[in-house]
Structure formats: structure tokens, C-alpha cells
Amino acid sequence: MTSFLFVTWDGGGNVPPALGIAAELRRRGHTVRVLGHPQQRDAVTAGGLPFEPYRQARPWSATAPAGNAQWAWKYLRLCTDRAGGTDVAVSLRREPADVAVVDCMMLGAIRAAQDLGVRQVTLTHTLYAYLRNGLDRGAVGLAGRVKGLAPSRLWDQSALNLIVTLRELELAESVPANAVFTGPVWPPGAPTPAPHDADEPHILISLSSVYYVGQSTVLTSLLRAVADLPVRVTLTTGHGVDPRQLQAPANVEVHRFLPHSQILPRVRMVVGHAGHATTMQALAHDLPMVLIPMSSLADQPLVAKAVARAGAATVVNRSASPTVLRAAIEHMLGDGPHRTAAATIGRRLRAADGASTAAKLLEQVT
């Protein structure tokens, strides 16, 4: 059997793929442990996985309110933090692992594992185009190169780069030889997505479980957009917005958190922020979407573009008026080619067993 160290961070959609693959490897009899931010302990151990907290890495919170500049700065520091790499090195020296599976954004951790000569695998939890066009060519790439953490070089030196999305949705024209598309990985313990036909006009609105600038403003506009529509709405605020801040009309039920696996089988369409994980889960249920990218610096604009290009989504600017939002929601609620497109993607997503495929590839790395 092989020993694996998974290195992650307390974000949103990046966590389920890491834990899903780790759980599958553990099920196959391998030794697996997870290194992450201290506040992730409960989420990791709930799945039966051993957890180790960072001790040197910078403190981190994905839910703390921050302005645009501060938000960008804290993500830049997260990606290029060499102290996280120190934690990885200490962990691997104390308890060696055959393979270190590291989140694609944790450049210091990737470098530390490679410097120790450990077989290092990168876990890419979004479109590969975002790595090249978003991270590598942006501020993260510039800062990384100054610190000796050039992103593209580190990713290309990995023994394997697992990309947990569909190749058909990828916007990059080409990927390096070490990159493999596994398909999405669903949250551990969640029911396998299944096609359904919800005739009731029921909508899920979810703009991420983490904080983005302007989140409450967009949610307020969406509440106004649906207030006079004959629809039932379930809205989740995540940790970044207090539900008590919102004035919900009678047709809207507000939750801070609700597992998407519970609500997606009951709705007819989704309004989302174009986060990769939420978007893939919705499409795996054959659900068309209205996508409102909340951050131009994250992967959301590219994910929204990919799904819209496939015909399964309408993309709306986060500054859109309630009138514009209402028109987009009404259109995607109805019948039309967008439902056929969503169902086509859904079939492909359900056919791809991302956790099993990734686990098999990792077993071959050693």
C-alpha cells in the first residue's frame, strides 16, 4: 500500500475534490492524511481522515469581509506563502509519504515537496485555462517568480496534474503532458447526482460559501428580481453574509448553509457565482444556470464563459439591475435549447467517476 499526504487550504470548491479523492484512496487501503488550516479539522475528520494543521503558514480566513485590494492581497499571500511549504517539509520529514498531492494554488507547498524529492502531484480544482491565464500571467505569477515559486514551472515539474473537470469544457487549447482530466469529484458522502425533471418553478440561489466583495448587494438585487415572480426560491448565503441582513420576500427561504446535494434534486434551475464545484454539481443534475461571476480575479469568469459557450448558462454582470436579473431567470426557467445543453453536459459529468479515476492514476504514480 502507498502513503499519501494531501495538502489543501480552507476555501470553497477546492476542498471537496481533495477530500473525495483522499477518501477513495483510504477506501482502497492506502494510508492517507490531510494537512490544512486549523479550522478545517472537523470537515476532514468527519470523513474519517487523519488531519494535521498548519503551524507556520499564515493565518487564513475565506469568510472575513475585505475590500477588493485586501481580498486580492490575501489570496496573493496564500498562494505564495513559503511558510506553508515549511509545514509540508516538517510533516514529510516527521512522517514520510510516498506521494504528496498538493492544491494547485499552494505554490510554496508544491515547491517544498519537490525539493524533498517526494513524488508530488498537483490537484487542479478548476479549468486549466485559469492556471495559465489567471494565476501564472497575473499577480500571483509575478510574485511567485520573485520568490522562486514560478507557477508554470512548478506545475509542469509535477509527476501528475489532476484536473477535476470535463475536457469538453476546458478553454485552454492545449495542456502539458503531465495533465489528465479526471472529471469532477463530488463531496464525500454526497449522493451521486441524477437527472430529474422538476416541474415546479423552484430556484436555488447560491453565491458561494466564502466571502466576495459586494455579495450582499447582489443577493439583495436577486431578492428584488424574484419577489414578484411565481416561483419558490431557496437561497443560501454562505459564511460571508448574515441571513439577518437580507429582507426576503414571502416566496424565498433563506439559509446560511444547505448541502447542495439536498436541494439540487428539487429545483429547476440555479443562480450561482460560477464557482467550479457548484457549477459542476448543478450541471450534473441537468440544471441550466444564470451565472454571476463575483470576482474577476478568480476562475469564475472563465467557468461562466465555458458553460455559456456550451449553451447551458446565461452570464450576467454582478452590477445588473433586478429587471435584468429577472429576465435572465425567467428565460432559464423555461424550456429551450439551454435545457438540452445542460442535460448533455449532465450525462457526461455523471459518466465520469472523478474520484475513482484520480485514485487509479495516483496508484500508478509510485
Side-chain angles (χ1 to χ4, degrees):
M1 293 295 101
T2 305
S3 58
F4 294 88
L5 172 67
F6 277 73
V7 184
T8 187
W9 58 281
D10 186 26
N14 66 302
V15 179
L19 298 188
I21 297 169
E24 174 63 18
L25 287 167
R26 186 173 182 273
R27 188 189 68 79
R28 292 167 177 250
H30 300 288
T31 301
V32 183
R33 70 184 194 272
V34 178
L35 177 66
H37 288 109
Q39 62 268 31
Q40 294 182 274
R41 180 181 297 276
D42 289 347
V44 174
T45 58
L49 295 168
F51 176 73
E52 181 180 342
Y54 291 127
R55 302 186 187 280
Q56 301 295 324
R58 296 179 185 275
W60 165 263
S61 172
T63 62
N68 283 311
Q70 187 180 6
W71 186 93
W73 174 243
K74 74 175 190 176
Y75 271 90
L76 175 66
R77 293 174 71 183
L78 171 75
C79 294
T80 60
D81 183 15
R82 276 190 169 273
T86 300
D87 282 317
V88 171
V90 169
S91 178
L92 287 171
R93 290 189 178 108
R94 183 185 64 253
E95 185 179 349
D98 299 307
V99 182
V101 183
V102 186
D103 187 290
C104 62
M105 295 176 65
M106 304 294 287
L107 302 177
I110 293 174
R111 175 66 185 270
Q114 292 180 358
D115 285 350
L116 286 174
V118 176
R119 299 287 284 174
Q120 182 271 318
V121 172
T122 294
L123 179 58
T124 298
H125 42 81
T126 186
L127 303 178
Y128 181 78
Y130 176 63
L131 266 63
R132 291 296 190 187
N133 300 332
L135 293 179
D136 189 53
R137 296 180 183 176
V140 169
L142 178 61
R145 283 184 279 276
V146 170
K147 291 186 174 185
L149 301 172
S152 57
R153 179 172 57 81
L154 292 173
W155 297 325
D156 291 350
Q157 288 178 347
S158 299
L160 191 64
N161 190 336
L162 299 174
I163 306 175
V164 293
T165 195
L166 284 184
R167 183 66 179 93
E168 296 91 328
L169 292 174
E170 179 58 62
L171 297 176
E173 293 184 0
S174 61
V175 297
N178 68 342
V180 180
F181 291 87
T182 67
V185 178
W186 312 123
T192 302
H196 67 288
D197 186 11
D199 293 328
E200 178 191 4
H202 188 178
I203 300 169
L204 170 65
I205 297 177
S206 178
L207 299 184
S208 182
S209 60
V210 303
Y211 174 81
Y212 288 105
V213 177
Q215 207 168 27
S216 60
T217 300
V218 178
L219 288 174
T220 298
S221 294
L222 285 164
L223 289 174
R224 292 173 180 168
V226 301
D228 57 354
L229 291 179
V231 297
R232 178 185 171 199
V233 179
T234 298
L235 184 149
T236 61
T237 65
H239 301 290
V241 177
D242 187 336
R244 294 172 296 183
Q245 296 176 341
L246 303 175
Q247 295 183 350
N251 62 332
V252 179
E253 181 181 297
V254 180
H255 300 264
R256 183 180 287 276
F257 176 77
L258 190 67
H260 287 159
S261 59
Q262 294 182 13
I263 187 64
L264 288 174
R266 308 203 305 265
V267 302
R268 186 167 169 80
M269 57 91 62
V270 174
V271 179
H273 68 298
H276 182 266
T278 300
T279 302
M280 294 303 108
Q281 286 189 64
L283 291 171
H285 286 82
D286 293 356
L287 297 173
M289 309 185 73
V290 172
L291 294 175
I292 309 170
M294 290 300 299
S295 171
S296 60
L297 299 177
D299 62 343
Q300 298 154 25
L302 284 173
V303 172
K305 179 181 179 181
V307 181
R309 186 179 68 171
T314 292
V315 182
V316 182
N317 191 282
R318 68 178 189 171
S319 62
S321 68
T323 301
V324 171
L325 292 168
R326 181 167 56 249
I329 290 170
E330 288 181 309
H331 172 66
M332 299 308 283
L333 264 174
D335 294 324
H338 52 278
R339 292 207 166 271
T340 302
T344 298
I345 299 173
R347 285 193 297 273
R348 293 171 179 165
L349 288 169
R350 292 189 297 273
D353 188 346
S356 178
T357 299
K360 290 177 182 177
L361 290 166
L362 286 169
E363 288 175 326
Q364 297 169 12
V365 165
T366 57

